Amino acid sequence: MCGIVGYTGPRSTARVLLDGLKRLEYRGYDSAGAAVLTPERVEVVKALGKVRNLEAAARKKSEFMAATGAGIAHTRWATHGAPSVINAHPHLDNSGTFAVVHNGIIENFRELRSHLTSRGCKFVSETDSEAIAHLISECYEGDLVQAVAAAVKRLHGTYGLGVISSRHPGLLVAARKGSPIVIGIGKGENFIASDVAPLLSYTREVMYLDDGDLAVLTPDSVEVRNVENVPVEREVARIDWDADAAEKGNYAHFMLKEIYEQPETIANTIRGRIDRQLNSAVLSGLGLTPRELASVSRVVIAGCGSSMHAGMVGEYYFEDIAGIPAEVEQAAEFRYRNPIIEPDTLVLPISQSGETADTLAAVREARNKGALVAALCNVVGSTIAREAGRGIYLHAGPEISVASTKAFTSQITVLLLLALLMGRNRRLDSTDGARIADEIEQLPDLIRQVLDQAPVIEKIARRYARFEHFFFIGRGSLYPTALEGALKLKEISYVHAEGYHAAELKHGPIALLDENHPVIALANNIPGRDKMLGNIQECRARNSPVVALVTAGDAAVRDLAGDVIQIPACSRFAAPLPTVVALQLFAYYVAVERGCEVDQPRNLAKSVTVE
Ligand code: F6R
């Protein structure tokens, strides 16, 4: 949730840190700070709000800007203590010798705080993280690495850490337990970060730390040690994303750019994955033989937020295409509900970031119960991808906007490919397989047709932007699509929006309908469409303004609804994708009209690494 950047090398440390923080802005944060080493001391700058505030404060300190050598920086998303300059990271020990940035939550922080206070430490912030700086100071006997190793042994909870000290000018120490740290390997310089985005302008060679790892970086070396303080080799991975992929280009917001990228990102998700001879899918990351795949008796999908909604669409695919019982678990419930998982259950955790704490916990629980686990992640080398051991990457490229768009459509595409593979592995014949493969290949074009209608959607959205309450209704696989449409709207425009199954409306929520409660009705021409007509009539009878998403040319619905957004004709399997793209655009334009911070909605973080 918070972001970390660290650097050691000959460049202007402040420049690398500030640029890196800007690339982490999408993670959601309330304050930021950085520490560099000057010949005399650790120099710290902090600011509330945006990185540009931090940059303005840093520019006033010439010593700070001129520093080279090791440095660390952080964007904070408050957990312990309100957003404030004092609570912003880096935190220092009382001698001002050690600076620490921390992601995660220290659960024994009260005990540590009272122990350290009894030893004379003065805490200046309300954070749990500050305790780490004091603890390192307490453990220090001339060796920074040994001090960090000793300190982290006393921490309960989760941490991703970056540490520097004025006593060790070129040295940067990182540690990880439960909160990701990735090392960027350069030439004569090295980096740490909480994800790869800040590293892309400098290097593509990265190394992911495992839980319990401690990394020691100088400009010329990277050494990783495990919990037992034994040096370990960690694989060096190469990142394909280029720095441009993480830039806004000519778009007003990352969200809009990512919405428009979808024809391309879906094409990337599909590329090389359709086998036209077998009319099936090729998903090599699954690492399951046809026999193993055929022995799967049940699919359980776990995820949070948009990823869970994608899973709910997938549930229809597995049952409809592959004839396999499927269910979706809210990942946070998965562990605590003690689900029934058998060895022939295939558990599919879905996570764009691959770092969501609840989804990771579900992976661990499923593995512990002996299930086959295959993760659907976007971020290559992320914790969930690595811990699951097998899976399918989305290949959607970096998703910077907090609101998920292109990852969501790629998740659905992967689920459709997997259902095709499992269907062909069972009862689905080659002709039906070929039809579904065709539909998958047409997805980018369907999305393009929706994007062409952006001006119409924008016009409608701007008119509806004054409303404070919305219902989104759908049936079949358009029911989870309605949930996703409502989530998009509420998270970026702060409008109250509820997704409902259209049939559920009559079981209570209809009481709310009136001229101030517009209904967005997903009435495409797929099974359930006729009943949707009835539902739209019910809404209109209560004076609710209705925007209907309809199959192009469907005059019957057009006459019922006040406003209409046309979705190209497509099958029930394809329909959620073009439909959700229209809803993403709708939410985007409502948010813009209401003057909201589209890419960084309040209170939200891109990657939710705490439970
Ligand atoms: C909504 C959104 C969130 C995420 C959820 C899971 O737009 O982005 O609901 O989908 O936090 O995140 P991942 O997919 O990274 O596990």
Side-chain angles (χ1 to χ4, degrees):
M1 312 190 66
C2 309
I4 286 180
V5 190
Y7 176 68
T8 177
R11 299 180 199 248
S12 155
T13 309
R15 226 18 312 145
V16 175
L17 297 179
L18 291 166
D19 287 350
L21 289 187
K22 281 185 196 151
R23 292 184 187 277
L24 285 175
E25 285 197 296
Y26 72 93
R27 291 176 71 102
Y29 64 96
D30 46 58
S31 52
V36 297
L37 300 175
T38 64
E40 290 79 38
R41 59 180 176 277
V42 180
E43 190 73 48
V44 175
V45 183
K46 300 181 183 184
L48 262 186
K50 302 269 173 207
V51 174
R52 63 169 178 266
N53 301 349
L54 179 70
E55 192 166 20
R59 283 190 185 287
K60 290 185 193 143
K61 291 188 165 187
S62 53
E63 265 194 314
F64 185 92
M65 293 307 292
T68 55
I72 48 178
H74 189 264
T75 52
R76 177 170 186 256
W77 188 84
T79 54
H80 288 69
S84 68
V85 169
I86 289 207
N87 288 336
H89 301 214
H91 291 289
L92 296 178
D93 70 313
N94 287 144
S95 70
T97 310
F98 304 98
V100 171
V101 287
H102 167 229
N103 283 357
I105 293 181
I106 302 305
E107 285 160 7
N108 60 334
F109 123 87
R110 274 180 197 80
E111 293 88 310
L112 288 174
R113 193 174 172 122
S114 70
H115 158 78
L116 289 159
T117 310
S118 73
R119 301 284 300 258
C121 285
K122 292 207 172 7
F123 278 74
V124 293
S125 77
E126 303 157 272
T127 67
D128 52 342
S129 310
E130 186 185 343
I132 305 170
H134 296 301
L135 209 51
I136 291 172
S137 174
E138 185 179 83
C139 297
Y140 184 71
E141 290 168 351
D143 179 342
L144 180 62
V145 181
Q146 167 276 326
V148 176
V152 296
K153 280 206 181 103
R154 290 166 62 183
L155 302 178
H156 299 169
T158 55
Y159 55 80
L161 287 184
V163 183
I164 57 170
S165 165
S166 54
R167 306 252 176 103
H168 305 269
L171 192 60
L172 170 62
V173 182
R176 173 203 161 127
K177 189 178 151 217
S179 233
I181 292 283
V182 53
I183 292 173
I185 303 166
K187 289 199 172 56
E189 57 182 354
N190 288 305
F191 308 79
I192 61 166
S194 44
D195 71 50
V196 295
L199 308 179
L200 294 173
S201 336
Y202 306 103
T203 179
R204 302 287 167 75
E205 310 270 296
V206 301
M207 196 190 270
Y208 294 92
L209 294 190
D210 280 348
D211 275 352
D213 282 355
L214 193 125
V216 184
L217 288 83
T218 68
D220 300 308
S221 64
V222 174
E223 189 194 305
V224 183
R225 302 180 187 177
N226 67 11
V227 226
E228 276 83 41
N229 203 18
V230 177
V232 284
E233 292 285 323
R234 293 281 171 244
E235 205 181 312
V236 177
R238 210 184 140 71
I239 301 295
D240 295 332
W241 301 349
D242 58 18
D244 288 352
E247 298 283 354
K248 252 194 317 226
N250 292 329
Y251 289 93
H253 297 98
F254 277 110
M255 182 177 178
L256 191 62
K257 176 182 178 232
E258 288 162 6
I259 290 173
Y260 271 88
E261 278 173 356
Q262 289 175 105
E264 198 188 322
T265 50
I266 291 174
N268 290 341
T269 303
I270 299 167
R271 186 161 298 117
R273 286 174 162 172
I274 290 182
D275 178 340
R276 276 298 177 178
Q277 279 190 333
L278 283 176
N279 287 322
S280 182
V282 187
L283 299 167
S284 48
L286 269 187
L288 294 173
T289 62
R291 183 186 282 265
E292 285 170 324
L293 212 53
S295 70
V296 170
S297 68
R298 199 166 132 249
V299 172
V300 174
I301 304 170
C304 301
S306 294
S307 295
M308 180 181 69
H309 294 157
M312 291 170 75
V313 174
E315 193 178 357
Y316 287 87
Y317 295 158
F318 288 114
E319 299 193 347
D320 209 344
I321 298 171
I324 305 175
E327 62 207 81
V328 180
E329 293 272 356
Q330 206 292 325
E333 277 304 300
F334 187 90
R335 175 161 48 149
Y336 298 110
R337 222 171 48 90
N338 196 15
I340 296 162
I341 300 290
E342 279 135 4
D344 52 5
T345 303
L346 175 63
V347 175
L348 300 174
I350 306 185
S351 173
Q352 185 286 128
S353 61
E355 303 294 348
T356 300
D358 286 320
T359 313
L360 178 59
V363 171
R364 291 178 177 159
E365 183 67 16
R367 285 188 63 124
N368 184 45
K369 284 184 156 37
L372 281 170
V373 181
L376 275 58
C377 293
N378 192 34
V379 178
V380 174
S382 54
T383 311
I384 290 173
R386 286 182 296 136
E387 290 211 10
R390 63 177 85 225
I392 311 167
Y393 281 119
L394 306 180
H395 299 316
E399 191 177 68
I400 306 292
S401 171
V402 166
S404 186
T405 53
K406 62 177 181 171
F408 178 76
T409 47
S410 284
Q411 286 165 344
I412 295 181
T413 307
V414 164
L415 290 163
L416 190 49
L417 285 162
L418 182 55
L420 171 62
L421 174 67
M422 295 183 82
R424 289 289 295 122
N425 184 241
R426 298 154 190 251
R427 300 253 338 121
L428 192 73
D429 67 24
S430 181
T431 314
D432 285 342
R435 188 179 36 78
I436 293 170
D438 288 345
E439 287 169 11
I440 295 174
E441 285 184 335
Q442 284 156 13
L443 290 172
D445 194 50
L446 290 175
I447 307 286
R448 243 173 246 122
Q449 292 179 50
V450 176
L451 295 174
D452 287 346
Q453 290 184 73
V456 177
I457 299 172
E458 177 175 3
K459 231 184 202 164
I460 297 175
R462 289 195 191 273
R463 272 195 287 114
Y464 279 77
R466 68 184 175 85
F467 290 102
E468 295 299 330
H469 306 276
F470 282 80
F471 278 106
F472 285 67
I473 56 170
R475 289 171 175 268
S477 59
L478 294 184
Y479 160 52
T481 311
L483 298 182
E484 177 63 8
L487 176 61
K488 284 293 86 86
L489 186 62
K490 68 185 130 198
E491 68 183 327
I492 61 166
S493 65
Y494 318 141
V495 165
H496 169 222
E498 294 204 45
Y500 260 91
H501 192 284
E504 272 292 311
L505 213 56
K506 285 197 281 289
H507 298 278
I510 201 165
L512 288 170
L513 293 191
D514 61 17
E515 61 284 3
N516 296 316
H517 283 76
V519 176
I520 313 294
L522 310 190
N524 315 27
N525 196 4
I526 64 168
R529 174 259 187 202
D530 291 347
K531 294 207 163 41
M532 275 303 290
L533 298 193
N535 298 132
I536 292 173
Q537 265 160 337
E538 289 155 12
C539 299
R540 292 302 299 248
R542 272 117 198 130
N543 296 325
S544 285
V546 174
V547 180
L549 277 71
V550 306
T551 298
D554 187 342
V557 192
R558 214 174 44 212
D559 296 344
L560 275 181
D563 288 284
V564 159
I565 297 172
Q566 309 228 9
I567 304 297
C570 58
S571 75
R572 65 185 183 282
F573 302 130
L577 288 107
T579 308
V580 84
V581 173
L583 298 180
Q584 292 166 354
L585 285 168
F586 180 80
Y588 172 79
Y589 289 119
V590 169
V592 169
E593 181 69 14
R594 293 172 70 99
C596 299
E597 282 257 19
V598 173
D599 284 331
Q600 287 139 31
R602 70 183 181 209
N603 304 340
L604 294 182
K606 181 66 183 159
S607 152
V608 183
T609 50
V610 292
E611 285 183 43

PDB file of all heavy atoms in Angstrom, residues 144-167:
ATOM      1  N   LEU A 144      26.005  -2.430  10.415  1.00  0.00           N
ATOM      2  CA  LEU A 144      24.605  -2.093  10.125  1.00  0.00           C
ATOM      3  C   LEU A 144      23.792  -3.340   9.750  1.00  0.00           C
ATOM      4  O   LEU A 144      22.641  -3.499  10.179  1.00  0.00           O
ATOM      5  CB  LEU A 144      24.540  -1.061   8.988  1.00  0.00           C
ATOM      6  CG  LEU A 144      23.136  -0.625   8.573  1.00  0.00           C
ATOM      7  CD1 LEU A 144      22.398   0.067   9.711  1.00  0.00           C
ATOM      8  CD2 LEU A 144      23.184   0.298   7.354  1.00  0.00           C
ATOM      9  N   VAL A 145      24.406  -4.228   8.968  1.00  0.00           N
ATOM     10  CA  VAL A 145      23.669  -5.404   8.513  1.00  0.00           C
ATOM     11  C   VAL A 145      23.301  -6.285   9.712  1.00  0.00           C
ATOM     12  O   VAL A 145      22.149  -6.733   9.849  1.00  0.00           O
ATOM     13  CB  VAL A 145      24.525  -6.210   7.495  1.00  0.00           C
ATOM     14  CG1 VAL A 145      23.758  -7.420   7.004  1.00  0.00           C
ATOM     15  CG2 VAL A 145      24.943  -5.321   6.339  1.00  0.00           C
ATOM     16  N   GLN A 146      24.258  -6.457  10.583  1.00  0.00           N
ATOM     17  CA  GLN A 146      23.993  -7.274  11.782  1.00  0.00           C
ATOM     18  C   GLN A 146      22.909  -6.604  12.642  1.00  0.00           C
ATOM     19  O   GLN A 146      22.029  -7.278  13.182  1.00  0.00           O
ATOM     20  CB  GLN A 146      25.332  -7.454  12.531  1.00  0.00           C
ATOM     21  CG  GLN A 146      25.262  -8.003  13.945  1.00  0.00           C
ATOM     22  CD  GLN A 146      24.991  -6.903  14.972  1.00  0.00           C
ATOM     23  OE1 GLN A 146      25.452  -5.758  14.804  1.00  0.00           O
ATOM     24  NE2 GLN A 146      24.210  -7.230  15.993  1.00  0.00           N
ATOM     25  N   ALA A 147      22.937  -5.273  12.723  1.00  0.00           N
ATOM     26  CA  ALA A 147      21.945  -4.552  13.544  1.00  0.00           C
ATOM     27  C   ALA A 147      20.542  -4.727  12.952  1.00  0.00           C
ATOM     28  O   ALA A 147      19.566  -4.963  13.689  1.00  0.00           O
ATOM     29  CB  ALA A 147      22.303  -3.069  13.634  1.00  0.00           C
ATOM     30  N   VAL A 148      20.425  -4.641  11.625  1.00  0.00           N
ATOM     31  CA  VAL A 148      19.101  -4.809  11.008  1.00  0.00           C
ATOM     32  C   VAL A 148      18.636  -6.252  11.199  1.00  0.00           C
ATOM     33  O   VAL A 148      17.482  -6.518  11.555  1.00  0.00           O
ATOM     34  CB  VAL A 148      19.130  -4.437   9.498  1.00  0.00           C
ATOM     35  CG1 VAL A 148      17.775  -4.712   8.841  1.00  0.00           C
ATOM     36  CG2 VAL A 148      19.511  -2.967   9.322  1.00  0.00           C
ATOM     37  N   ALA A 149      19.565  -7.204  11.021  1.00  0.00           N
ATOM     38  CA  ALA A 149      19.209  -8.629  11.193  1.00  0.00           C
ATOM     39  C   ALA A 149      18.700  -8.872  12.614  1.00  0.00           C
ATOM     40  O   ALA A 149      17.686  -9.561  12.818  1.00  0.00           O
ATOM     41  CB  ALA A 149      20.409  -9.514  10.890  1.00  0.00           C
ATOM     42  N   ALA A 150      19.387  -8.296  13.602  1.00  0.00           N
ATOM     43  CA  ALA A 150      18.982  -8.499  15.000  1.00  0.00           C
ATOM     44  C   ALA A 150      17.641  -7.814  15.265  1.00  0.00           C
ATOM     45  O   ALA A 150      16.775  -8.354  15.971  1.00  0.00           O
ATOM     46  CB  ALA A 150      20.065  -7.946  15.920  1.00  0.00           C
ATOM     47  N   ALA A 151      17.446  -6.632  14.681  1.00  0.00           N
ATOM     48  CA  ALA A 151      16.202  -5.885  14.922  1.00  0.00           C
ATOM     49  C   ALA A 151      15.000  -6.618  14.326  1.00  0.00           C
ATOM     50  O   ALA A 151      13.961  -6.752  14.990  1.00  0.00           O
ATOM     51  CB  ALA A 151      16.325  -4.480  14.348  1.00  0.00           C
ATOM     52  N   VAL A 152      15.140  -7.100  13.098  1.00  0.00           N
ATOM     53  CA  VAL A 152      13.949  -7.703  12.470  1.00  0.00           C
ATOM     54  C   VAL A 152      13.536  -8.997  13.182  1.00  0.00           C
ATOM     55  O   VAL A 152      12.372  -9.368  13.161  1.00  0.00           O
ATOM     56  CB  VAL A 152      14.111  -7.944  10.940  1.00  0.00           C
ATOM     57  CG1 VAL A 152      14.265  -6.636  10.191  1.00  0.00           C
ATOM     58  CG2 VAL A 152      15.239  -8.903  10.610  1.00  0.00           C
ATOM     59  N   LYS A 153      14.496  -9.636  13.845  1.00  0.00           N
ATOM     60  CA  LYS A 153      14.147 -10.849  14.622  1.00  0.00           C
ATOM     61  C   LYS A 153      13.162 -10.510  15.734  1.00  0.00           C
ATOM     62  O   LYS A 153      12.429 -11.365  16.211  1.00  0.00           O
ATOM     63  CB  LYS A 153      15.408 -11.434  15.262  1.00  0.00           C
ATOM     64  CG  LYS A 153      16.226 -12.262  14.294  1.00  0.00           C
ATOM     65  CD  LYS A 153      17.059 -13.314  15.031  1.00  0.00           C
ATOM     66  CE  LYS A 153      17.880 -14.089  14.046  1.00  0.00           C
ATOM     67  NZ  LYS A 153      19.290 -13.700  14.009  1.00  0.00           N
ATOM     68  N   ARG A 154      13.174  -9.254  16.164  1.00  0.00           N
ATOM     69  CA  ARG A 154      12.283  -8.869  17.274  1.00  0.00           C
ATOM     70  C   ARG A 154      10.952  -8.288  16.802  1.00  0.00           C
ATOM     71  O   ARG A 154      10.142  -7.840  17.609  1.00  0.00           O
ATOM     72  CB  ARG A 154      13.039  -7.897  18.173  1.00  0.00           C
ATOM     73  CG  ARG A 154      14.159  -8.659  18.911  1.00  0.00           C
ATOM     74  CD  ARG A 154      15.154  -7.745  19.548  1.00  0.00           C
ATOM     75  NE  ARG A 154      14.570  -6.879  20.565  1.00  0.00           N
ATOM     76  CZ  ARG A 154      15.265  -5.953  21.217  1.00  0.00           C
ATOM     77  NH1 ARG A 154      16.542  -5.769  20.931  1.00  0.00           N
ATOM     78  NH2 ARG A 154      14.684  -5.205  22.122  1.00  0.00           N
ATOM     79  N   LEU A 155      10.757  -8.261  15.482  1.00  0.00           N
ATOM     80  CA  LEU A 155       9.503  -7.704  14.962  1.00  0.00           C
ATOM     81  C   LEU A 155       8.472  -8.810  14.730  1.00  0.00           C
ATOM     82  O   LEU A 155       8.805  -9.836  14.134  1.00  0.00           O
ATOM     83  CB  LEU A 155       9.751  -6.992  13.625  1.00  0.00           C
ATOM     84  CG  LEU A 155      10.776  -5.855  13.613  1.00  0.00           C
ATOM     85  CD1 LEU A 155      10.924  -5.297  12.194  1.00  0.00           C
ATOM     86  CD2 LEU A 155      10.369  -4.744  14.577  1.00  0.00           C
ATOM     87  N   HIS A 156       7.250  -8.593  15.200  1.00  0.00           N
ATOM     88  CA  HIS A 156       6.129  -9.464  14.833  1.00  0.00           C
ATOM     89  C   HIS A 156       5.263  -8.682  13.874  1.00  0.00           C
ATOM     90  O   HIS A 156       5.009  -7.506  14.098  1.00  0.00           O
ATOM     91  CB  HIS A 156       5.279  -9.847  16.056  1.00  0.00           C
ATOM     92  CG  HIS A 156       6.049 -10.587  17.087  1.00  0.00           C
ATOM     93  ND1 HIS A 156       5.569 -10.838  18.346  1.00  0.00           N
ATOM     94  CD2 HIS A 156       7.293 -11.141  17.053  1.00  0.00           C
ATOM     95  CE1 HIS A 156       6.464 -11.502  19.038  1.00  0.00           C
ATOM     96  NE2 HIS A 156       7.524 -11.694  18.274  1.00  0.00           N
ATOM     97  N   GLY A 157       4.789  -9.351  12.834  1.00  0.00           N
ATOM     98  CA  GLY A 157       3.940  -8.649  11.861  1.00  0.00           C
ATOM     99  C   GLY A 157       4.591  -8.684  10.498  1.00  0.00           C
ATOM    100  O   GLY A 157       5.284  -9.648  10.151  1.00  0.00           O
ATOM    101  N   THR A 158       4.352  -7.634   9.725  1.00  0.00           N
ATOM    102  CA  THR A 158       4.851  -7.642   8.346  1.00  0.00           C
ATOM    103  C   THR A 158       5.738  -6.425   8.105  1.00  0.00           C
ATOM    104  O   THR A 158       5.515  -5.365   8.693  1.00  0.00           O
ATOM    105  CB  THR A 158       3.676  -7.599   7.348  1.00  0.00           C
ATOM    106  OG1 THR A 158       2.860  -6.470   7.658  1.00  0.00           O
ATOM    107  CG2 THR A 158       2.840  -8.858   7.389  1.00  0.00           C
ATOM    108  N   TYR A 159       6.722  -6.630   7.280  1.00  0.00           N
ATOM    109  CA  TYR A 159       7.568  -5.499   6.937  1.00  0.00           C
ATOM    110  C   TYR A 159       8.218  -5.683   5.576  1.00  0.00           C
ATOM    111  O   TYR A 159       8.545  -6.779   5.162  1.00  0.00           O
ATOM    112  CB  TYR A 159       8.656  -5.264   8.007  1.00  0.00           C
ATOM    113  CG  TYR A 159       9.518  -6.480   8.295  1.00  0.00           C
ATOM    114  CD1 TYR A 159      10.572  -6.842   7.464  1.00  0.00           C
ATOM    115  CD2 TYR A 159       9.264  -7.263   9.417  1.00  0.00           C
ATOM    116  CE1 TYR A 159      11.348  -7.960   7.733  1.00  0.00           C
ATOM    117  CE2 TYR A 159      10.035  -8.392   9.686  1.00  0.00           C
ATOM    118  CZ  TYR A 159      11.078  -8.733   8.847  1.00  0.00           C
ATOM    119  OH  TYR A 159      11.837  -9.841   9.092  1.00  0.00           O
ATOM    120  N   GLY A 160       8.354  -4.540   4.890  1.00  0.00           N
ATOM    121  CA  GLY A 160       9.286  -4.382   3.785  1.00  0.00           C
ATOM    122  C   GLY A 160      10.090  -3.180   4.237  1.00  0.00           C
ATOM    123  O   GLY A 160       9.512  -2.134   4.562  1.00  0.00           O
ATOM    124  N   LEU A 161      11.402  -3.306   4.338  1.00  0.00           N
ATOM    125  CA  LEU A 161      12.211  -2.256   4.969  1.00  0.00           C
ATOM    126  C   LEU A 161      13.317  -1.761   4.057  1.00  0.00           C
ATOM    127  O   LEU A 161      13.906  -2.548   3.315  1.00  0.00           O
ATOM    128  CB  LEU A 161      12.948  -2.814   6.196  1.00  0.00           C
ATOM    129  CG  LEU A 161      12.223  -3.124   7.482  1.00  0.00           C
ATOM    130  CD1 LEU A 161      13.244  -3.563   8.518  1.00  0.00           C
ATOM    131  CD2 LEU A 161      11.494  -1.890   7.969  1.00  0.00           C
ATOM    132  N   GLY A 162      13.632  -0.478   4.192  1.00  0.00           N
ATOM    133  CA  GLY A 162      14.853   0.078   3.621  1.00  0.00           C
ATOM    134  C   GLY A 162      15.543   0.846   4.731  1.00  0.00           C
ATOM    135  O   GLY A 162      14.898   1.595   5.467  1.00  0.00           O
ATOM    136  N   VAL A 163      16.851   0.633   4.891  1.00  0.00           N
ATOM    137  CA  VAL A 163      17.581   1.253   6.013  1.00  0.00           C
ATOM    138  C   VAL A 163      18.889   1.841   5.494  1.00  0.00           C
ATOM    139  O   VAL A 163      19.601   1.201   4.710  1.00  0.00           O
ATOM    140  CB  VAL A 163      17.908   0.195   7.101  1.00  0.00           C
ATOM    141  CG1 VAL A 163      18.603   0.842   8.300  1.00  0.00           C
ATOM    142  CG2 VAL A 163      16.666  -0.556   7.540  1.00  0.00           C
ATOM    143  N   ILE A 164      19.218   3.057   5.928  1.00  0.00           N
ATOM    144  CA  ILE A 164      20.547   3.631   5.669  1.00  0.00           C
ATOM    145  C   ILE A 164      21.084   4.195   6.980  1.00  0.00           C
ATOM    146  O   ILE A 164      20.326   4.405   7.944  1.00  0.00           O
ATOM    147  CB  ILE A 164      20.520   4.752   4.604  1.00  0.00           C
ATOM    148  CG1 ILE A 164      19.546   5.873   5.001  1.00  0.00           C
ATOM    149  CG2 ILE A 164      20.171   4.190   3.235  1.00  0.00           C
ATOM    150  CD1 ILE A 164      19.649   7.118   4.128  1.00  0.00           C
ATOM    151  N   SER A 165      22.410   4.452   6.994  1.00  0.00           N
ATOM    152  CA  SER A 165      23.005   5.023   8.200  1.00  0.00           C
ATOM    153  C   SER A 165      24.138   5.958   7.813  1.00  0.00           C
ATOM    154  O   SER A 165      24.911   5.661   6.888  1.00  0.00           O
ATOM    155  CB  SER A 165      23.549   3.898   9.086  1.00  0.00           C
ATOM    156  OG  SER A 165      24.421   4.448  10.056  1.00  0.00           O
ATOM    157  N   SER A 166      24.249   7.064   8.549  1.00  0.00           N
ATOM    158  CA  SER A 166      25.333   8.023   8.277  1.00  0.00           C
ATOM    159  C   SER A 166      26.691   7.394   8.552  1.00  0.00           C
ATOM    160  O   SER A 166      27.706   7.885   8.076  1.00  0.00           O
ATOM    161  CB  SER A 166      25.143   9.276   9.120  1.00  0.00           C
ATOM    162  OG  SER A 166      25.015   8.918  10.473  1.00  0.00           O
ATOM    163  N   ARG A 167      26.732   6.284   9.289  1.00  0.00           N
ATOM    164  CA  ARG A 167      28.019   5.623   9.556  1.00  0.00           C
ATOM    165  C   ARG A 167      28.475   4.752   8.375  1.00  0.00           C
ATOM    166  O   ARG A 167      29.587   4.274   8.364  1.00  0.00           O
ATOM    167  CB  ARG A 167      27.884   4.702  10.777  1.00  0.00           C
ATOM    168  CG  ARG A 167      27.365   5.363  12.007  1.00  0.00           C
ATOM    169  CD  ARG A 167      28.487   5.513  13.040  1.00  0.00           C
ATOM    170  NE  ARG A 167      27.970   6.239  14.177  1.00  0.00           N
ATOM    171  CZ  ARG A 167      27.626   5.676  15.322  1.00  0.00           C
ATOM    172  NH1 ARG A 167      27.748   4.387  15.470  1.00  0.00           N
ATOM    173  NH2 ARG A 167      27.157   6.419  16.306  1.00  0.00           N
TER     174      ARG A 167
END
